PDB file of all heavy atoms in Angstrom:
ATOM      1  N   LEU V  44     136.850  37.979 124.548  1.00 97.00           N
ATOM      2  CA  LEU V  44     136.719  38.327 123.130  1.00 97.00           C
ATOM      3  C   LEU V  44     138.083  38.582 122.492  1.00 97.00           C
ATOM      4  O   LEU V  44     138.368  38.092 121.388  1.00 97.00           O
ATOM      5  CB  LEU V  44     135.809  39.542 122.961  1.00 97.00           C
ATOM      6  CG  LEU V  44     134.355  39.346 123.403  1.00 97.00           C
ATOM      7  CD1 LEU V  44     133.579  40.650 123.277  1.00 97.00           C
ATOM      8  CD2 LEU V  44     133.685  38.228 122.629  1.00 97.00           C
ATOM      9  N   VAL V  45     138.941  39.306 123.188  1.00 97.00           N
ATOM     10  CA  VAL V  45     140.292  39.565 122.675  1.00 97.00           C
ATOM     11  C   VAL V  45     141.064  38.245 122.578  1.00 97.00           C
ATOM     12  O   VAL V  45     141.753  37.984 121.581  1.00 97.00           O
ATOM     13  CB  VAL V  45     141.035  40.596 123.557  1.00 97.00           C
ATOM     14  CG1 VAL V  45     142.491  40.732 123.144  1.00 97.00           C
ATOM     15  CG2 VAL V  45     140.331  41.945 123.505  1.00 97.00           C
ATOM     16  N   TYR V  46     140.947  37.405 123.599  1.00 97.00           N
ATOM     17  CA  TYR V  46     141.570  36.088 123.607  1.00 97.00           C
ATOM     18  C   TYR V  46     141.120  35.273 122.391  1.00 97.00           C
ATOM     19  O   TYR V  46     141.945  34.683 121.686  1.00 97.00           O
ATOM     20  CB  TYR V  46     141.210  35.372 124.917  1.00 97.00           C
ATOM     21  CG  TYR V  46     141.494  33.893 124.950  1.00 97.00           C
ATOM     22  CD1 TYR V  46     142.791  33.424 125.140  1.00 97.00           C
ATOM     23  CD2 TYR V  46     140.464  32.963 124.819  1.00 97.00           C
ATOM     24  CE1 TYR V  46     143.047  32.062 125.181  1.00 97.00           C
ATOM     25  CE2 TYR V  46     140.717  31.610 124.867  1.00 97.00           C
ATOM     26  CZ  TYR V  46     142.009  31.159 125.051  1.00 97.00           C
ATOM     27  OH  TYR V  46     142.265  29.807 125.094  1.00 97.00           O
ATOM     28  N   GLY V  47     139.823  35.243 122.124  1.00 98.00           N
ATOM     29  CA  GLY V  47     139.300  34.478 121.000  1.00 98.00           C
ATOM     30  C   GLY V  47     139.777  34.997 119.657  1.00 98.00           C
ATOM     31  O   GLY V  47     140.140  34.216 118.775  1.00 98.00           O
ATOM     32  N   ILE V  48     139.787  36.309 119.514  1.00 98.00           N
ATOM     33  CA  ILE V  48     140.240  36.907 118.252  1.00 98.00           C
ATOM     34  C   ILE V  48     141.713  36.589 118.009  1.00 98.00           C
ATOM     35  O   ILE V  48     142.093  36.164 116.911  1.00 98.00           O
ATOM     36  CB  ILE V  48     139.979  38.427 118.242  1.00 98.00           C
ATOM     37  CG1 ILE V  48     138.470  38.686 118.158  1.00 98.00           C
ATOM     38  CG2 ILE V  48     140.720  39.110 117.090  1.00 98.00           C
ATOM     39  CD1 ILE V  48     138.071  40.121 118.436  1.00 98.00           C
ATOM     40  N   LEU V  49     142.541  36.770 119.043  1.00 97.00           N
ATOM     41  CA  LEU V  49     143.979  36.515 118.895  1.00 97.00           C
ATOM     42  C   LEU V  49     144.302  35.029 118.769  1.00 97.00           C
ATOM     43  O   LEU V  49     145.029  34.614 117.873  1.00 97.00           O
ATOM     44  CB  LEU V  49     144.756  37.077 120.092  1.00 97.00           C
ATOM     45  CG  LEU V  49     144.962  38.571 120.159  1.00 97.00           C
ATOM     46  CD1 LEU V  49     145.594  38.948 121.486  1.00 97.00           C
ATOM     47  CD2 LEU V  49     145.828  39.038 119.009  1.00 97.00           C
ATOM     48  N   ASN V  50     143.787  34.230 119.717  1.00 97.00           N
ATOM     49  CA  ASN V  50     144.195  32.828 119.836  1.00 97.00           C
ATOM     50  C   ASN V  50     143.578  31.928 118.774  1.00 97.00           C
ATOM     51  O   ASN V  50     144.230  31.012 118.292  1.00 97.00           O
ATOM     52  CB  ASN V  50     143.845  32.314 121.228  1.00 97.00           C
ATOM     53  CG  ASN V  50     144.576  31.050 121.590  1.00 97.00           C
ATOM     54  OD1 ASN V  50     145.777  30.944 121.391  1.00 97.00           O
ATOM     55  ND2 ASN V  50     143.858  30.082 122.112  1.00 97.00           N
ATOM     56  N   PHE V  51     142.341  32.170 118.416  1.00 97.00           N
ATOM     57  CA  PHE V  51     141.668  31.285 117.471  1.00 97.00           C
ATOM     58  C   PHE V  51     141.410  31.948 116.117  1.00 97.00           C
ATOM     59  O   PHE V  51     141.382  31.259 115.109  1.00 97.00           O
ATOM     60  CB  PHE V  51     140.350  30.775 118.069  1.00 97.00           C
ATOM     61  CG  PHE V  51     140.557  29.983 119.317  1.00 97.00           C
ATOM     62  CD1 PHE V  51     140.156  30.479 120.547  1.00 97.00           C
ATOM     63  CD2 PHE V  51     141.173  28.751 119.281  1.00 97.00           C
ATOM     64  CE1 PHE V  51     140.359  29.753 121.711  1.00 97.00           C
ATOM     65  CE2 PHE V  51     141.385  28.011 120.435  1.00 97.00           C
ATOM     66  CZ  PHE V  51     140.978  28.514 121.661  1.00 97.00           C
ATOM     67  N   GLY V  52     141.223  33.248 116.100  1.00 97.00           N
ATOM     68  CA  GLY V  52     140.969  33.932 114.843  1.00 97.00           C
ATOM     69  C   GLY V  52     142.247  34.277 114.106  1.00 97.00           C
ATOM     70  O   GLY V  52     142.590  33.657 113.088  1.00 97.00           O
ATOM     71  N   LEU V  53     142.978  35.238 114.618  1.00 97.00           N
ATOM     72  CA  LEU V  53     144.151  35.735 113.903  1.00 97.00           C
ATOM     73  C   LEU V  53     145.311  34.742 113.864  1.00 97.00           C
ATOM     74  O   LEU V  53     145.972  34.607 112.834  1.00 97.00           O
ATOM     75  CB  LEU V  53     144.606  37.064 114.511  1.00 97.00           C
ATOM     76  CG  LEU V  53     143.595  38.202 114.408  1.00 97.00           C
ATOM     77  CD1 LEU V  53     144.128  39.458 115.077  1.00 97.00           C
ATOM     78  CD2 LEU V  53     143.225  38.462 112.963  1.00 97.00           C
ATOM     79  N   PHE V  54     145.577  34.046 114.976  1.00 96.00           N
ATOM     80  CA  PHE V  54     146.676  33.074 114.975  1.00 96.00           C
ATOM     81  C   PHE V  54     146.471  32.038 113.870  1.00 96.00           C
ATOM     82  O   PHE V  54     147.370  31.759 113.087  1.00 96.00           O
ATOM     83  CB  PHE V  54     146.810  32.377 116.331  1.00 96.00           C
ATOM     84  CG  PHE V  54     147.853  31.281 116.316  1.00 96.00           C
ATOM     85  CD1 PHE V  54     149.193  31.594 116.433  1.00 96.00           C
ATOM     86  CD2 PHE V  54     147.490  29.956 116.134  1.00 96.00           C
ATOM     87  CE1 PHE V  54     150.161  30.596 116.388  1.00 96.00           C
ATOM     88  CE2 PHE V  54     148.445  28.948 116.086  1.00 96.00           C
ATOM     89  CZ  PHE V  54     149.789  29.270 116.213  1.00 96.00           C
ATOM     90  N   TYR V  55     145.277  31.466 113.799  1.00 93.00           N
ATOM     91  CA  TYR V  55     145.026  30.443 112.790  1.00 93.00           C
ATOM     92  C   TYR V  55     144.874  31.031 111.399  1.00 93.00           C
ATOM     93  O   TYR V  55     145.205  30.369 110.418  1.00 93.00           O
ATOM     94  CB  TYR V  55     143.829  29.579 113.188  1.00 93.00           C
ATOM     95  CG  TYR V  55     144.252  28.572 114.221  1.00 93.00           C
ATOM     96  CD1 TYR V  55     144.155  28.865 115.573  1.00 93.00           C
ATOM     97  CD2 TYR V  55     144.790  27.355 113.847  1.00 93.00           C
ATOM     98  CE1 TYR V  55     144.574  27.964 116.522  1.00 93.00           C
ATOM     99  CE2 TYR V  55     145.214  26.438 114.794  1.00 93.00           C
ATOM    100  CZ  TYR V  55     145.105  26.747 116.136  1.00 93.00           C
ATOM    101  OH  TYR V  55     145.546  25.851 117.069  1.00 93.00           O
ATOM    102  N   MET V  56     144.412  32.253 111.280  1.00 94.00           N
ATOM    103  CA  MET V  56     144.369  32.904 109.979  1.00 94.00           C
ATOM    104  C   MET V  56     145.778  32.968 109.410  1.00 94.00           C
ATOM    105  O   MET V  56     146.035  32.522 108.293  1.00 94.00           O
ATOM    106  CB  MET V  56     143.793  34.318 110.087  1.00 94.00           C
ATOM    107  CG  MET V  56     143.842  35.094 108.778  1.00 94.00           C
ATOM    108  SD  MET V  56     143.582  36.871 108.959  1.00 94.00           S
ATOM    109  CE  MET V  56     145.113  37.388 109.699  1.00 94.00           C
ATOM    110  N   PHE V  57     146.696  33.509 110.191  1.00 94.00           N
ATOM    111  CA  PHE V  57     148.087  33.628 109.740  1.00 94.00           C
ATOM    112  C   PHE V  57     148.727  32.254 109.529  1.00 94.00           C
ATOM    113  O   PHE V  57     149.374  32.013 108.514  1.00 94.00           O
ATOM    114  CB  PHE V  57     148.915  34.431 110.745  1.00 94.00           C
ATOM    115  CG  PHE V  57     148.610  35.897 110.787  1.00 94.00           C
ATOM    116  CD1 PHE V  57     148.343  36.525 111.993  1.00 94.00           C
ATOM    117  CD2 PHE V  57     148.593  36.667 109.634  1.00 94.00           C
ATOM    118  CE1 PHE V  57     148.082  37.888 112.051  1.00 94.00           C
ATOM    119  CE2 PHE V  57     148.326  38.029 109.677  1.00 94.00           C
ATOM    120  CZ  PHE V  57     148.073  38.637 110.890  1.00 94.00           C
ATOM    121  N   SER V  58     148.552  31.360 110.488  1.00 91.00           N
ATOM    122  CA  SER V  58     149.209  30.047 110.418  1.00 91.00           C
ATOM    123  C   SER V  58     148.716  29.210 109.248  1.00 91.00           C
ATOM    124  O   SER V  58     149.519  28.667 108.482  1.00 91.00           O
ATOM    125  CB  SER V  58     148.984  29.259 111.713  1.00 91.00           C
ATOM    126  OG  SER V  58     149.566  29.913 112.801  1.00 91.00           O
ATOM    127  N   TYR V  59     147.414  29.071 109.113  1.00 85.00           N
ATOM    128  CA  TYR V  59     146.866  28.225 108.045  1.00 85.00           C
ATOM    129  C   TYR V  59     147.201  28.791 106.676  1.00 85.00           C
ATOM    130  O   TYR V  59     147.477  28.050 105.749  1.00 85.00           O
ATOM    131  CB  TYR V  59     145.360  28.044 108.212  1.00 85.00           C
ATOM    132  CG  TYR V  59     144.972  26.904 109.125  1.00 85.00           C
ATOM    133  CD1 TYR V  59     145.677  26.621 110.278  1.00 85.00           C
ATOM    134  CD2 TYR V  59     143.877  26.113 108.836  1.00 85.00           C
ATOM    135  CE1 TYR V  59     145.312  25.582 111.104  1.00 85.00           C
ATOM    136  CE2 TYR V  59     143.488  25.070 109.658  1.00 85.00           C
ATOM    137  CZ  TYR V  59     144.224  24.806 110.801  1.00 85.00           C
ATOM    138  OH  TYR V  59     143.857  23.772 111.614  1.00 85.00           O
ATOM    139  N   TRP V  60     147.157  30.111 106.555  1.00 86.00           N
ATOM    140  CA  TRP V  60     147.509  30.701 105.269  1.00 86.00           C
ATOM    141  C   TRP V  60     148.973  30.426 104.948  1.00 86.00           C
ATOM    142  O   TRP V  60     149.314  30.001 103.847  1.00 86.00           O
ATOM    143  CB  TRP V  60     147.227  32.201 105.259  1.00 86.00           C
ATOM    144  CG  TRP V  60     147.617  32.804 103.938  1.00 86.00           C
ATOM    145  CD1 TRP V  60     146.905  32.752 102.775  1.00 86.00           C
ATOM    146  CD2 TRP V  60     148.822  33.495 103.640  1.00 86.00           C
ATOM    147  NE1 TRP V  60     147.605  33.385 101.776  1.00 86.00           N
ATOM    148  CE2 TRP V  60     148.786  33.839 102.277  1.00 86.00           C
ATOM    149  CE3 TRP V  60     149.940  33.850 104.390  1.00 86.00           C
ATOM    150  CZ2 TRP V  60     149.816  34.531 101.655  1.00 86.00           C
ATOM    151  CZ3 TRP V  60     150.965  34.533 103.768  1.00 86.00           C
ATOM    152  CH2 TRP V  60     150.891  34.873 102.417  1.00 86.00           C
ATOM    153  N   ALA V  61     149.863  30.637 105.920  1.00 88.00           N
ATOM    154  CA  ALA V  61     151.297  30.415 105.691  1.00 88.00           C
ATOM    155  C   ALA V  61     151.582  28.954 105.373  1.00 88.00           C
ATOM    156  O   ALA V  61     152.413  28.647 104.515  1.00 88.00           O
ATOM    157  CB  ALA V  61     152.097  30.862 106.908  1.00 88.00           C
ATOM    158  N   LEU V  62     150.893  28.040 106.045  1.00 84.00           N
ATOM    159  CA  LEU V  62     151.164  26.616 105.848  1.00 84.00           C
ATOM    160  C   LEU V  62     150.685  26.085 104.500  1.00 84.00           C
ATOM    161  O   LEU V  62     150.956  24.941 104.163  1.00 84.00           O
ATOM    162  CB  LEU V  62     150.571  25.802 106.991  1.00 84.00           C
ATOM    163  CG  LEU V  62     151.319  25.949 108.315  1.00 84.00           C
ATOM    164  CD1 LEU V  62     150.569  25.265 109.441  1.00 84.00           C
ATOM    165  CD2 LEU V  62     152.743  25.408 108.217  1.00 84.00           C
ATOM    166  N   THR V  63     150.009  26.923 103.727  1.00 82.00           N
ATOM    167  CA  THR V  63     149.705  26.522 102.352  1.00 82.00           C
ATOM    168  C   THR V  63     150.934  26.684 101.471  1.00 82.00           C
ATOM    169  O   THR V  63     150.974  26.136 100.383  1.00 82.00           O
ATOM    170  CB  THR V  63     148.533  27.325 101.751  1.00 82.00           C
ATOM    171  OG1 THR V  63     148.890  28.703 101.679  1.00 82.00           O
ATOM    172  CG2 THR V  63     147.257  27.137 102.558  1.00 82.00           C
ATOM    173  N   GLU V  64     151.944  27.433 101.953  1.00 84.00           N
ATOM    174  CA  GLU V  64     153.152  27.686 101.156  1.00 84.00           C
ATOM    175  C   GLU V  64     154.434  27.176 101.801  1.00 84.00           C
ATOM    176  O   GLU V  64     155.415  26.975 101.098  1.00 84.00           O
ATOM    177  CB  GLU V  64     153.301  29.187 100.910  1.00 84.00           C
ATOM    178  CG  GLU V  64     152.215  29.778 100.055  1.00 84.00           C
ATOM    179  CD  GLU V  64     152.476  31.238  99.736  1.00 84.00           C
ATOM    180  OE1 GLU V  64     153.621  31.706  99.876  1.00 84.00           O
ATOM    181  OE2 GLU V  64     151.522  31.922  99.346  1.00 84.00           O
ATOM    182  N   VAL V  65     154.459  27.028 103.118  1.00 83.00           N
ATOM    183  CA  VAL V  65     155.702  26.632 103.786  1.00 83.00           C
ATOM    184  C   VAL V  65     155.518  25.280 104.472  1.00 83.00           C
ATOM    185  O   VAL V  65     154.402  24.833 104.702  1.00 83.00           O
ATOM    186  CB  VAL V  65     156.153  27.684 104.824  1.00 83.00           C
ATOM    187  CG1 VAL V  65     156.357  29.044 104.192  1.00 83.00           C
ATOM    188  CG2 VAL V  65     155.182  27.784 105.983  1.00 83.00           C
ATOM    189  N   THR V  66     156.633  24.672 104.817  1.00 78.00           N
ATOM    190  CA  THR V  66     156.575  23.396 105.525  1.00 78.00           C
ATOM    191  C   THR V  66     156.284  23.632 107.010  1.00 78.00           C
ATOM    192  O   THR V  66     156.505  24.732 107.530  1.00 78.00           O
ATOM    193  CB  THR V  66     157.910  22.633 105.415  1.00 78.00           C
ATOM    194  OG1 THR V  66     158.927  23.398 106.089  1.00 78.00           O
ATOM    195  CG2 THR V  66     158.305  22.413 103.960  1.00 78.00           C
ATOM    196  N   ALA V  67     155.814  22.599 107.665  1.00 77.00           N
ATOM    197  CA  ALA V  67     155.576  22.691 109.109  1.00 77.00           C
ATOM    198  C   ALA V  67     156.883  22.976 109.845  1.00 77.00           C
ATOM    199  O   ALA V  67     156.893  23.684 110.852  1.00 77.00           O
ATOM    200  CB  ALA V  67     154.939  21.403 109.615  1.00 77.00           C
TER     201      ALA V  67
END
Side-chain angles (χ1 to χ4, degrees):
L44 296 176
V45 172
Y46 166 78
I48 290 168
L49 285 173
N50 197 46
F51 299 111
L53 297 178
F54 175 80
Y55 281 91
M56 175 195 73
F57 289 129
S58 297
Y59 274 39
W60 179 79
L62 288 172
T63 63
E64 294 185 18
V65 302
T66 65

